[in-house]
Amino acid sequence: MAILPLLNISIPGILPTPTYMPGSLALLSLCMVFAALALSYNLLLGTAGMLSFGHALYFGAGAYGLGIVLENAGVPLFPGILIALVGGLVIALVTGAVSMRVSGIPLAMVTLAFAQAGSVLVRRNPQVTGGEEGLGLNTDNVPDWLVGVADTRNLYWFTLAVLVIVYLVVLWVDASRLGHLAEATRENELRVRVLGLRPYTGKLIIFVIAALLASLAGMAYLLLQSGTVPRSVSADLTITVLVMVVLGGVGFRWGAIVGGVVYTLLDQRLTVLAGSDAIAGLPAVLRVPLSEPLFILGVLFILVVMFLPGGIAGTADAWVRRRRGERARTSLARLDDADASADTAPEEVKA
């Protein structure tokens, strides 16, 4: 992925231009932003088993937080990122401390309420957030190598670095005692309490880490899009990310990345397909539904849930396990045959 901008690779129907050109690099960068966001959500849902409908609040907090800091504080980009991360940390601690008091559907409803409150604040304060028009990026304090179409390659590498950082943090959490505690709490919280552990603290830390990773993805989104809009805080975005994770496979890190990339590619390219002459020339009974990208995405999601219930990664993992099981059974059968041959050999010699 790091050397992709240096190569001349064309994938018709998926990438609009060769890989070294700004169009494809911008699309791939957007894919990596949402892959990072899906990874952060998978940490909540896959590792800790927490269903949240408000995860977009922290994505938007990162995007709007960095935009507001760059607009009003006059600090350079990277100190601005640190300040915005601190702001995201405070929001995550406050909302997480309340949300973690419940679980299951009540948790989803509480996080949804916080996301809706954040969306209202963004829309009702145009003097700070730009309101319905969104917040543009003030490039005065952004390095020149991250500004403009000519520097899309640098933005691509920046978003790739963000994705790698998010992946490494998620990998570290999953392999740590914290991750094991979160998995145990997901399976049986009462048993964790009986063992003398504190599931509330573990869930809160996981919640905050996932929120910070989502904020980091939001900052990459702000730089890539040269601004942000209220949808980045809405519950609709959280539902979209949930679809990405389910599409890729809940509980699989690489599945979250694949789900984020596949969904983003489909969302972007189906929009182009919907406005093409090929669709316009179809009969109305086909043209009307096929001209709506969300309809096609919805049908694809239904098919995945029906025929690939484990998502892309879950289905691939099940297939690999099945093949390994068949190989193991074949090896055992061969060993049994070899043992049987060894047992009958003396009788044949006697005869």
Side-chain angles (χ1 to χ4, degrees), residues 15-348:
L15 297 179
T17 61
T19 52
Y20 70 91
M21 297 186 69
S24 290
L25 292 178
L27 177 56
L28 291 172
S29 299
L30 188 63
C31 290
M32 290 189 289
V33 167
F34 284 113
L37 180 59
L39 261 176
S40 69
Y41 191 81
N42 188 65
L43 186 61
L44 277 181
L45 184 61
T47 301
M50 295 185 287
L51 177 64
S52 170
F53 284 163
H55 199 58
L57 173 64
Y58 312 106
F59 181 82
Y64 275 99
L66 180 59
I68 292 171
V69 167
L70 293 177
E71 180 72 29
N72 300 294
V75 297
L77 175 63
F78 293 103
I81 289 176
L82 293 177
I83 295 173
L85 280 176
V86 171
L89 173 64
V90 172
I91 295 173
L93 278 173
V94 173
T95 58
V98 176
S99 301
M100 293 300 101
R101 298 292 178 181
V102 294
S103 60
I105 299 301
L107 170 64
M109 294 299 101
V110 172
T111 53
L112 175 62
F114 280 125
Q116 292 298 99
S119 180
V120 170
L121 289 174
V122 166
R123 296 175 188 274
R124 297 293 179 86
N125 291 279
Q127 66 278 7
V128 179
T129 62
E132 295 288 347
E133 300 297 323
L135 180 65
L137 174 64
N138 185 348
T139 59
D140 293 341
N141 296 307
V142 178
D144 293 338
W145 52 273
L146 286 176
V147 178
V149 176
D151 294 310
T152 306
R153 182 182 298 175
N154 295 330
L155 281 168
Y156 170 90
W157 281 323
F158 181 84
T159 54
L160 177 60
V162 168
L163 177 59
V164 170
I165 291 171
V166 171
Y167 181 85
L168 291 176
V169 172
V170 171
L171 179 64
W172 170 74
V173 171
D174 284 343
S176 67
R177 293 180 62 186
L178 174 63
H180 297 159
L181 174 62
E183 292 175 0
T185 304
R186 180 193 66 202
E187 299 300 326
N188 193 324
E189 184 171 344
L190 180 59
R191 182 173 296 177
V192 173
R193 293 180 185 276
V194 170
L195 291 174
L197 302 174
R198 295 181 292 179
Y200 172 83
T201 303
K203 291 195 298 183
L204 179 59
I205 295 174
I206 291 285
F207 188 92
V208 171
I209 292 174
L212 288 177
L213 296 179
S215 297
L216 188 60
M219 297 175 198
Y221 177 82
L222 174 77
L223 294 172
L224 181 63
Q225 300 293 100
S226 296
T228 186
V229 292
R231 184 181 180 276
S232 64
V233 194
S234 68
D236 291 344
L237 180 59
T238 301
I239 301 301
T240 299
V241 177
L242 174 60
V243 171
M244 293 177 184
V245 174
V246 173
L247 176 64
V250 178
F252 294 90
R253 288 183 295 271
W254 71 271
I257 295 175
V258 170
V261 171
V262 169
Y263 184 95
T264 306
L265 285 174
L266 287 173
D267 183 46
Q268 296 293 318
R269 301 310 294 167
L270 287 177
T271 303
V272 176
L273 176 65
S276 65
D277 295 336
I279 298 297
L282 294 174
V285 67
L286 294 175
R287 183 181 69 253
V288 174
L290 293 180
S291 62
E292 295 292 336
L294 287 178
F295 173 82
I296 302 175
L297 284 171
V299 171
L300 290 174
F301 182 67
I302 292 172
L303 293 175
V304 167
V305 171
M306 289 179 62
F307 299 105
L308 303 175
I312 297 172
T315 303
D317 182 70
W319 181 81
V320 170
R321 289 176 183 271
R322 195 181 309 117
R323 290 297 301 272
R324 288 176 178 172
E326 291 173 357
R327 290 175 183 173
R329 285 192 293 270
T330 302
S331 299
L332 289 173
R334 289 175 179 171
L335 288 174
D336 290 339
D337 293 342
D339 291 341
S341 299
D343 292 338
T344 58
E347 296 177 4
E348 294 174 354

